[in-house]
Amino acid sequence: MREKDKMYCIICDIDNVYTDSREWIAQCPKEGAKRAEWDEFQKLAYLAKPNKQVIDYLLSVKDLTPIMFVTSREDRRDQRKIAVQQIEEFSDNKFCVGDNCYLYMRKEFDYRHSDVVKEDIVKGIVAEGWIPLLAIDDYDVNCEMFKKMGIPTNLYNIEKQEMIKYFEVARDY
């Protein structure tokens, strides 16, 4: 791929980063739960609320670089529709999935850990010619994966409403 063909992007998690999902995640089934329990949990996605701080940050850069929403939400039943609706409505329709942002979700019945799922998704994004300038996530294990991939990473703490530099690429200035 030629240098001019490369495209830059920002990777952002959805739950407890773009959205405040604490109320929803509190309903999360315990490890070993049956499929039916997970399906019931997914019906509660409406409990996720906008996280204005992160939304405002992403909106401030959306005209410069597309946002790749990479989530470990399972793409099952109406979850994609709900995620798209949340992305668009929570930004007052300033984000339009497929136009100035994109949504990547865990495949249906993929029960691997979130870092493994997200690593595969990000590898696909990079293979398409995208260069991630920054990844934002709320889990250390995911941040560690982004670091391993050499992607500058911020760890977001929803409880403190703060973004902490987790990893940055060393520069020779």
Side-chain angles (χ1 to χ4, degrees):
M1 173 173 290
R2 299 175 311 196
E3 186 66 32
K4 71 177 189 170
D5 294 332
K6 294 184 178 181
M7 304 165 285
Y8 296 99
C9 67
I10 292 175
I11 295 171
C12 186
D13 184 26
I14 294 180
D15 293 305
N16 283 340
V17 178
Y18 187 80
T19 65
D20 181 339
S21 302
R22 290 176 282 187
E23 187 178 349
W24 183 35
I25 290 172
Q27 307 302 315
C28 190
K30 303 297 178 222
E31 191 171 328
K34 305 274 188 239
R35 178 77 248 182
E37 292 174 85
W38 284 102
D39 288 342
E40 287 303 309
F41 168 70
Q42 286 186 331
K43 291 178 184 176
L44 302 175
Y46 68 87
L47 294 172
K49 306 292 185 246
N51 183 5
K52 186 167 174 31
Q53 180 187 25
V54 172
I55 293 168
D56 287 348
Y57 168 73
L58 294 173
L59 287 173
S60 76
V61 298
K62 77 172 180 51
D63 292 332
L64 302 172
T65 184
I67 309 301
M68 306 298 193
F69 290 100
V70 176
T71 181
S72 55
R73 287 186 186 188
E74 185 181 10
D75 192 353
R76 179 169 165 81
R77 297 188 173 156
D78 59 352
Q79 288 305 300
R80 178 169 294 276
K81 178 182 167 192
I82 291 167
V84 167
Q85 182 179 358
Q86 289 175 343
I87 290 167
E88 293 178 353
E89 286 182 10
F90 293 176
S91 71
D92 294 324
N93 295 309
K94 292 177 181 141
F95 279 125
C96 179
V97 175
D99 180 21
N100 60 0
C101 66
Y102 301 89
L103 174 61
Y104 298 86
M105 299 178 74
R106 171 191 302 268
K107 290 184 175 129
E108 186 174 28
F109 307 121
D110 183 348
Y111 303 119
R112 297 175 298 160
H113 289 267
S114 68
D115 59 320
V116 177
V117 169
K118 288 183 176 188
E119 182 175 6
D120 282 352
I121 292 171
V122 173
K123 284 179 179 176
I125 290 169
V126 170
E128 292 174 5
W130 293 98
I131 300 170
L133 296 173
L134 175 67
I136 308 168
D137 206 289
D138 62 320
Y139 283 125
D140 285 331
V141 69
N142 294 332
C143 290
E144 194 60 32
M145 176 273 300
F146 291 124
K147 177 182 175 182
K148 181 182 86 177
M149 293 183 79
I151 299 170
T153 307
N154 286 351
L155 174 65
Y156 187 75
N157 182 322
I158 190 81
E159 298 295 331
K160 295 180 181 177
Q161 289 280 303
E162 71 179 2
M163 203 171 304
I164 302 157
K165 228 172 252 208
Y166 186 90
F167 170 71
E168 61 184 320
V169 177
R171 307 243 187 249
D172 293 331
Y173 291 106

